[in-house]
C-alpha cells in the first residue's frame, strides 16, 4: 500500500503506511473470533448457573449484549486506537493530526460502526438470498457494499466513520513519530496557556526549542537552555523566574494548546 503523508502545523509531515483492505478484514475477523469465544464461554457459564427465564434474559444482556456492543468503543479507548485484532495485525486508528484519537473521535467511529459493520453487510447479503423482490434485493446489496466501496474509493482508505471522526487506519510503522515533532498532547481540559506570546515564534524557532530540550535532557548541560531561554524572554518580553528547562517545556505546551484549539 502507498504511504500517507499527513501535513501538520509542527514543522514536519508524518508519514504512515495505509492499512490495506486485507489487513483490515483479517483484523476484523480476529476481533470477531475473540468476541465469539467470549460469547461461548459466557453462555456456558450462564447456562450452568441455571437462572430462571427472566433473570437469564437480564444476565444475557448485562454479560453478553452490552460488552459485545461496546467492544470496539472500550478497546480503542483503553488501547489508544487499537482493538485486539488491530494490535495483532499491526494497525491502529490515528487522528488526521497523527496522534491518538480523542474520546469523541472513538465514540463517533463506534456509532458509525453500527451501520457499517461487515457482519451487518454479510447479514444483509444473506437476506438477498431469501428476498423475492428484485428491487428490495438490489437495495439491500447496495447498502451492504457501501462500507467496502467507501474504503476502496477514499484517498486515505477511510470508511464513513473515519471521515466523520477525522481519523484514519494505518500500519503502526511510521517513518516519523510525534516525538520527532514539537507536538505535545495536552490532556488537561482546564489547561491555561501561561505564555500566549509563543504564537509569535515560527515553526523553525519552536523546532530549535525542542532540540535544545532534547539535548539538555540527554547531556544534563543547562547552559544552552539558559541561553535560549534568556533570548526568548527578551524577544517576547516575558518576565518569569521559571527554571530554563521548565520554561521551554511550558512554551511548547502552550503552543500546542493554543494551535490545536484555534
Amino acid at each position: 500500500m502507498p504511504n500517507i503523508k499527513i501535513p501538520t502545523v509542527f514543522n514536519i509531515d508524518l508519514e504512515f503506511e495505509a492499512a490495506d483492505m486485507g489487513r483490515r478484514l483479517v483484523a476484523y475477523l480476529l476481533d470477531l473470533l475473540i468476541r465469539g469465544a467470549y460469547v461461548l464461554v459466557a453462555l456456558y457459564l450462564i447456562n450452568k448457573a441455571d437462572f430462571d427465564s427472566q433473570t437469564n434474559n437480564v444476565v444475557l444482556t448485562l454479560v453478553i449484549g452490552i460488552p459485545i456492543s461496546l467492544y470496539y468503543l472500550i478497546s480503542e479507548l483503553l488501547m489508544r486506537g487499537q482493538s485486539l485484532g488491530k494490535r495483532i495485525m499491526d494497525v491502529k486508528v490515528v487522528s488526521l493530526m497523527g496522534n491518538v484519537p480523542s474520546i469523541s473521535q472513538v465514540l463517533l467511529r463506534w456509532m458509525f460502526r453500527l451501520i457499517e459493520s461487515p457482519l451487518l453487510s454479510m447479514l444483509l447479503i444473506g437476506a438477498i438470498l431469501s428476498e423475492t423482490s428484485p428491487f428490495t434485493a438490489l437495495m439491500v446489496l447496495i447498502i451492504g457494499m457501501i462500507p467496502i466501496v467507501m474504503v476502496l474509493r477514499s484517498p486515505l482508505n477511510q470508511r464513513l466513520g473515519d471521515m466523520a471522526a477525522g481519523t484514519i487506519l494505518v500500519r503502526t510503522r511510521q517513518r516519523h513519530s510525534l516525538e520527532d515533532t514539537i507536538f505535545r498532547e495536552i490532556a488537561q481540559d482546564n489547561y491555561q496557556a501561561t505564555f500566549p506570546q509563543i504564537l509569535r515564534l515560527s515553526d523553525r524557532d519552536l523546532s530549535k526549542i525542542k532540540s535544545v530540550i532534547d539535548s539538555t535532557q540527554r547531556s544534563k548541560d543547562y547552559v544552552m537552555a539558559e541561553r535560549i531561554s534568556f533570548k526568548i524572554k527578551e524577544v517576547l518580553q516575558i518576565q518569569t523566574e521559571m527554571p530554563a528547562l521548565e520554561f521551554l517545556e511550558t512554551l511548547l505546551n502552550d503552543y500546542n494548546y493554543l494551535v490545536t484549539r484555534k
Side-chain angles (χ1 to χ4, degrees):
M1 291 296 293
N3 290 331
I4 297 175
K5 287 188 177 181
I6 304 177
T8 74
V9 296
F10 304 116
N11 204 40
I12 191 172
D13 284 349
L14 297 181
E15 190 169 334
F16 297 92
E17 183 181 348
D20 59 83
M21 179 59 73
R23 191 171 290 272
R24 297 173 75 120
L25 181 59
V26 173
Y28 173 80
L29 292 176
L30 287 172
D31 284 322
L32 187 61
L33 286 174
I34 291 168
R35 287 176 290 168
Y38 171 81
V39 170
L40 290 176
V41 172
L43 283 175
Y44 172 78
L45 295 176
I46 292 172
N47 290 334
K48 196 171 183 180
D50 196 25
F51 296 114
D52 61 74
S53 178
Q54 185 174 358
T55 303
N56 193 68
N57 290 335
V58 174
V59 172
L60 285 173
T61 300
L62 294 176
V63 176
I64 296 180
I66 294 177
I68 291 300
S69 63
L70 297 179
Y71 171 79
Y72 280 106
L73 177 63
I74 294 174
S75 62
E76 289 183 4
L77 285 174
L78 294 179
M79 300 173 67
R80 300 169 65 83
Q82 289 185 304
S83 61
L84 292 173
K86 289 186 180 69
R87 176 161 292 185
I88 294 171
M89 292 308 297
D90 195 30
V91 297
K92 65 177 178 179
V93 179
V94 298
S95 77
L96 289 179
M97 286 184 62
N99 59 320
V100 176
S102 65
I103 295 176
S104 61
Q105 287 176 312
V106 173
L107 180 61
L108 196 53
R109 290 186 84 254
W110 173 78
M111 292 172 62
F112 272 85
R113 187 180 292 278
L114 298 179
I115 60 174
E116 288 190 285
S117 170
L119 180 59
L120 176 61
S121 299
M122 287 186 282
L123 292 175
L124 290 173
I125 293 173
I128 297 175
L129 302 177
S130 59
E131 180 56 54
T132 57
S133 168
F135 176 76
T136 305
L138 178 62
M139 292 304 297
V140 170
L141 179 60
I142 291 174
I143 293 172
M145 293 298 293
I146 285 177
I148 297 175
V149 173
M150 289 296 295
V151 172
L152 293 176
R153 295 291 296 174
S154 168
L156 299 180
N157 294 344
Q158 293 171 292
R159 62 179 180 84
L160 191 59
D162 286 315
M163 293 180 185
T167 57
I168 54 175
L169 190 64
V170 300
R171 296 287 301 275
T172 54
R173 293 178 302 175
Q174 60 189 80
R175 293 188 180 181
H176 299 293
S177 69
L178 290 177
E179 285 72 23
D180 296 324
T181 75
I182 58 176
F183 176 79
R184 301 292 175 86
E185 190 167 4
I186 308 300
Q188 306 98 305
D189 294 330
N190 59 345
Y191 184 89
Q192 295 290 329
T194 307
F195 307 112
Q197 304 97 313
I198 188 62
L199 292 179
R200 290 164 51 190
L201 298 185
S202 67
D203 281 349
R204 186 182 297 274
D205 295 328
L206 291 159
S207 294
K208 179 63 177 177
I209 293 174
K210 174 66 165 60
S211 65
V212 168
I213 291 175
D214 292 342
S215 176
T216 301
Q217 290 175 337
R218 287 193 301 267
S219 66
K220 304 302 180 183
D221 183 356
Y222 295 90
V223 175
M224 181 58 71
E226 293 284 356
R227 288 179 180 174
I228 194 171
S229 294
F230 177 80
K231 185 64 176 179
I232 291 172
K233 292 175 186 177
E234 185 179 42
V235 171
L236 298 182
Q237 297 181 336
I238 293 175
Q239 294 184 353
T240 178
E241 298 300 322
M242 195 177 291
L245 195 59
E246 181 183 350
F247 172 65
L248 297 178
E249 290 276 8
T250 302
L251 287 176
L252 288 189
N253 289 337
D254 286 352
Y255 179 79
N256 277 269
Y257 175 81
L258 294 169
V259 168
T260 55
R261 283 157 180 76
K262 279 187 176 182

